[in-house]
Amino acid sequence: MRPPPLWLPLLLLCGLGAAVSSPDSLSQLAAPRKLKLHLYNDEQMLSWEPPPSSNDTRPVVYQVEYSYVDGFWHRLREPNCTDIAETKCDFTGGGRLKVFPYSYTVFLRVRARRGQHTSHWAKLDPFQHYENVTVGPPKNISVTPGKGSLVIHFSPPFDVVQEATFQYFVHYWEKTETQKVKGPYKTNSIVLDDLKPFRVYCLQTEAQLILKNRNIEPHGLPSNVSCHETTADASTSLQQVILILFGIFMLLLALTGACFILFLRYQSRVKYWFQAPPDIPEQIKEYLKDPDQLILEALDKDGSPKDEAWDSVSIISSPEKEQDDVLQIP
């Protein structure tokens, strides 16, 4: 066998060096890293980290594709996640759109592109929305205090199809007692009717997603804590009315007893305070009406004979005494 020409190894060596120093091989982009899927209620969003920076200052854009069967990939048109500068793709627009059916298995992949150079695809593990979603608390919660009860109204965290449904739990407690749980409830209204009147209760509601013909039942996040005071029931109101009337009666009785004791202790002063003022005689009143009239005439005019008192005076003397008196007259 003849040895190869001497120029052949040199040719192969030059070709290998050219391949290593090729601009395309040196400028190959790295794939996006750390893909994360956000599934919350009816929201679906894919995010990632960009590839390491390089000396190339040209912008990097990203392309996202999806598939329901691995190997048959499609580009997204709504929303458009082709040649985007952001490192995320919101498939549902914050829950306003519905791109991937909740019960379908979805495959996702993303790659980077700079100019004419593209990276390898970075793939995400397949997922189903119902099996991987984080269920939030019920929405539009309102609480109406009742007679020894609390009535809770709410709406589901998001709309579901026929193969899924929600059931609800309520956690409630009095501020001085341990927490209690009631449920599950199938309706969007819960009545807590075993509560004490005029007590403050705090509560949280929680939704659980139930998938028919599956054993997956993810619990949702609890709602924010809210506290409410119950009102009185009919029996409690009647008792309060009786207690109020009894209290008023006892207060009046105590005041009456205190006044009677004070009257007995200060009887003379009370009589002095409440006696009638002295009346002015009629003669004085007439004089005050006509000061020019002599007071004695007024008294004689208005005096009543029956009111005057008369004394009879008798003088008894002897003749001898009268004679002596006449002789002594000068």
Side-chain angles (χ1 to χ4, degrees):
M1 184 175 181
R2 296 177 60 183
L6 295 176
W7 53 268
L8 184 59
L10 296 176
L11 181 61
L12 294 174
L13 183 62
C14 292
L16 179 63
V20 171
S21 60
S22 173
D24 293 340
S25 62
L26 291 178
S27 60
Q28 180 67 43
L29 284 177
R33 304 173 298 169
K34 298 182 179 181
L35 275 65
K36 294 181 180 180
L37 182 64
H38 171 78
L39 300 177
Y40 180 80
N41 288 344
D42 52 358
E43 300 175 8
Q44 299 172 347
M45 184 175 65
L46 176 66
S47 62
W48 57 87
E49 290 186 2
S53 60
S54 64
N55 294 329
D56 195 339
T57 59
R58 290 178 298 175
V60 177
V61 294
Y62 303 95
Q63 299 173 343
V64 180
E65 293 182 350
Y66 75 96
S67 174
Y68 297 128
V69 179
D70 192 12
F72 296 89
W73 298 96
H74 309 277
R75 289 188 178 184
L76 286 168
R77 295 182 179 179
E78 182 63 31
N80 184 10
C81 289
T82 300
D83 296 336
I84 59 175
E86 289 184 301
T87 57
K88 66 178 181 179
C89 178
D90 188 352
F91 304 112
T92 55
R96 297 186 300 273
L97 305 175
K98 289 186 178 180
V99 178
F100 304 129
Y102 294 157
S103 58
Y104 282 31
T105 300
V106 182
F107 298 83
L108 293 174
R109 67 181 186 178
V110 59
R111 69 179 179 182
R113 185 174 68 85
R114 179 190 289 125
Q116 300 298 323
H117 306 288
T118 57
S119 70
H120 294 294
W121 290 101
K123 293 184 178 181
L124 183 74
D125 293 334
F127 71 94
Q128 282 192 8
H129 186 91
Y130 278 152
E131 295 184 359
N132 303 99
V133 66
T134 299
V135 180
K139 298 180 180 179
N140 306 319
I141 300 175
S142 63
V143 180
T144 304
K147 297 178 180 179
S149 64
L150 293 175
V151 182
I152 310 168
H153 299 279
F154 49 84
S155 57
F158 59 97
D159 296 332
V160 294
V161 295
Q162 293 181 353
E163 60 187 88
T165 184
F166 284 108
Q167 64 182 13
Y168 304 95
F169 297 85
V170 57
H171 305 256
Y172 67 100
W173 64 94
E174 194 178 352
K175 288 190 175 181
T176 58
E177 296 182 355
T178 57
Q179 187 176 119
K180 300 178 183 178
V181 181
K182 272 196 172 185
Y185 295 93
K186 299 296 183 180
T187 61
N188 297 351
S189 179
I190 299 176
V191 180
L192 302 177
D193 54 0
D194 57 348
L195 308 180
K196 302 175 184 178
F198 295 110
R199 298 294 182 88
V200 176
Y201 287 88
C202 299
L203 55 88
Q204 290 179 295
T205 55
E206 175 188 344
Q208 183 181 18
L209 181 64
I210 305 298
L211 302 178
K212 299 179 181 179
N213 302 324
R214 302 188 191 183
N215 295 325
I216 301 175
E217 298 180 355
H219 277 268
L221 302 176
S223 64
N224 294 331
V225 177
S226 61
C227 298
H228 310 271
E229 183 178 3
T230 59
T231 60
D233 53 17
S235 59
T236 305
S237 300
L238 180 59
Q239 293 176 0
Q240 288 182 338
V241 171
I242 294 175
L243 289 176
I244 292 174
L245 294 177
F246 180 75
I248 294 175
F249 172 76
M250 294 301 296
L251 178 61
L252 294 176
L253 185 61
L255 291 175
T256 303
C259 293
F260 181 73
I261 293 174
L262 291 175
F263 176 77
L264 293 179
R265 185 172 181 179
Y266 302 100
Q267 184 176 4
S268 59
R269 293 187 180 181
V270 173
K271 289 182 178 180
Y272 175 76
W273 291 337
F274 290 97
Q275 68 179 357
D279 192 13
I280 300 176
E282 293 296 332
Q283 297 84 351
I284 303 299
K285 291 182 179 180
E286 292 294 334
Y287 173 74
L288 294 177
K289 293 179 181 179
D290 188 8
D292 295 334
Q293 185 180 6
L294 295 179
I295 187 171
L296 295 179
E297 294 179 357
L299 291 176
D300 292 340
K301 178 180 179 181
D302 298 329
S304 178
K306 62 180 181 179
D307 295 333
E308 295 179 355
W310 300 91
D311 294 329
S312 299
V313 179
S314 301
I315 300 176
I316 303 174
S317 62
S318 61
E320 290 83 2
K321 184 64 176 173
E322 293 177 357
Q323 187 176 4
D324 291 340
D325 294 334
V326 172
L327 294 175
Q328 291 180 1
I329 295 174

